[in-house]
Structures are given as C-alpha cells and as structure tokens.
Amino acid sequence: MTTKLVNVRYENGQRIATQEIVHRKSDDLYTLANLQRRYESLCAMIATPPEGYDAERLATDKAELEAEISLQEGYLAGYDAEVL
C-alpha cells in the first residue's frame, strides 16, 4: 500500500488533506486473511463464551466482521485473476 498526498487546503480553521491510497492485491489478500483469523477466533469464543461475555455483543461483532469480510472479498473480486 502506498499513500500519496494529493491536496491540502485550509477551511474553518482546519487543515484538510486529500490522499490517494494505492492498494495491491497482496495487500488486500493480507487484510482478508487477518479478518478471517479474527472471525475464526470470534466464532470459537461464541461457541464457548468466557464467563461474563455478552452474547449479544459477540453476535454484533460477528455480523460486523462478516460485513468487513464481504467488503474485502468484493475488493479482491475487482482484480484481474493473474494480478498479484
């Protein structure tokens, strides 16, 4: 992943920077793998929740991770198959 500063402007006492972020397919694959590991860990915790954990919160966390994984898979689907 590379980040390039595109523009800086000042507005209402704030500095606003516009950046261009370039992701490679390998970056997105790495991110997806991390999300999947977190998901696996969360599912294991849901199956045998530690004492004091809120089951509703775990279910919410699971749904949020599922959405993140789906988004990341969508990013990966946009690449040409041979690009890595």
Side-chain angles (χ1 to χ4, degrees), residues 18-81:
T18 304
Q19 296 179 330
E20 179 179 281
I21 302 171
V22 178
H23 298 266
R24 292 181 305 272
K25 187 175 183 181
S26 60
D27 297 324
D28 287 332
L29 286 167
Y30 180 81
T31 300
L32 179 60
N34 282 333
L35 289 169
Q36 289 170 331
R37 279 190 288 276
R38 287 176 45 205
Y39 185 78
E40 182 181 329
S41 176
L42 183 61
C43 287
M45 190 181 298
I46 289 171
T48 55
E51 190 172 320
Y53 272 77
D54 180 10
E56 285 183 37
R57 180 62 196 165
L58 292 175
T60 300
D61 290 348
K62 182 181 177 192
E64 290 172 358
L65 265 176
E66 287 170 344
E68 285 184 61
I69 288 170
S70 179
L71 180 64
Q72 197 64 35
E73 288 172 338
Y75 292 150
L76 286 162
Y79 289 98
D80 291 335

Side-chain angles (χ1 to χ4, degrees), residues 3 10 21:
T3 304
Y10 293 87
I21 302 171

Side-chain angles (χ1 to χ4, degrees), residues 3-19:
T3 304
K4 179 174 93 175
L5 184 61
V6 175
N7 185 30
V8 174
R9 73 179 193 280
Y10 293 87
E11 188 176 296
N12 299 325
Q14 298 176 334
R15 179 176 57 87
I16 302 168
T18 304
Q19 296 179 330

